Amino acid sequence: MGDLRRLRPISRAFGIDRGQSIARFYIERHLERHRSDVAGAVLEIGDDRYTRMFGAGRVTRSDVLNVVDGAPGTTIVADLTRADHLPSEQYDCVICTQTLQMIYETRAAVASLHRLLRPSGVLLVTSSGISPIGRREGVDDWGEYWFASAQAVSKLLGERFSPANVQVETYGNVLTAIAYLHGLAAEELDSAELAHVDPDYEVIVGARAARSAPA
């Protein structure tokens, strides 16, 4: 087993101390596939990194939502599980990467995301399938509650969006799962290894969910 015969990972920093995180590689691959959806009024959770990366020239309004105040670039402070005070049908696209697993009441959060979208608006989501736990001890009170399979994400989103409007994709294989758990970076694998998809090893689950247009 070589360097893998060890009780501690090679890195506990998700690979970002060695290059690009394998998870981030897959997140960006998912968003690249749906680049055309990042347009008009866009809300992103956490920061506007992907709004800028994938929406250049097509975004007319950009907002950033955080649950705590003080994060750079934040325009909205709200808890997605208790967001009734936010106006409905404001956005053409919502980008929600690596967030749902941090929220215990995921159904309430998905309901808010759905309500914030305009008719025909699109929610772009990613969540961890196979991953180390992301701990932020001493920083905030976030936890990490759910590592969801593609089947779970499809069912969760299909409860609020029409199931016909939910598209779920998986990223990863046994090699990239092992590499990610050990904290290796994407640059330490080749393109064919990263591109191979084995549906039994879901490192990242990505979804596109569109709100139904009015009849």
Side-chain angles (χ1 to χ4, degrees), residues 56-194:
R58 297 188 306 277
V59 175
T60 57
R61 171 187 169 189
S62 174
D63 280 317
V64 173
L65 184 148
N66 273 291
V67 71
V68 292
D69 201 359
T74 299
T75 59
I76 300 170
V77 177
D79 181 342
L80 285 173
T81 68
R82 298 170 180 82
D84 292 345
H85 61 289
L86 298 181
S88 300
E89 299 185 0
Q90 293 293 300
Y91 298 101
D92 301 295
C93 178
V94 175
I95 301 172
C96 182
T97 60
Q98 305 306 100
T99 300
L100 290 181
Q101 70 257 30
M102 304 289 186
I103 300 173
Y104 185 75
E105 298 170 335
T106 52
R107 284 188 172 91
V110 170
S112 293
L113 294 169
H114 178 270
R115 185 177 60 78
L116 291 169
L117 284 169
R118 294 169 176 164
S120 300
V122 171
L123 172 64
L124 298 176
V125 171
T126 67
S127 189
S128 293
I130 300 170
S131 174
I133 297 293
R135 301 190 189 279
R136 294 172 57 95
E137 294 174 356
V139 178
D140 50 44
D141 294 327
W142 295 359
E144 191 157 20
Y145 300 101
W146 313 110
F147 286 170
S149 66
Q151 186 175 13
V153 171
S154 179
K155 195 166 185 66
L156 175 68
L157 296 178
E159 289 174 351
R160 184 61 59 169
F161 295 81
S162 168
N165 292 342
V166 176
Q167 175 185 351
V168 178
E169 300 158 312
T170 65
Y171 302 86
N173 55 70
V174 67
L175 175 61
T176 59
I178 292 169
Y180 183 48
L181 290 173
H182 266 291
L184 299 182
E187 292 87 344
E188 296 176 271
L189 301 171
D190 65 36
S191 58
E193 291 167 340
L194 288 163

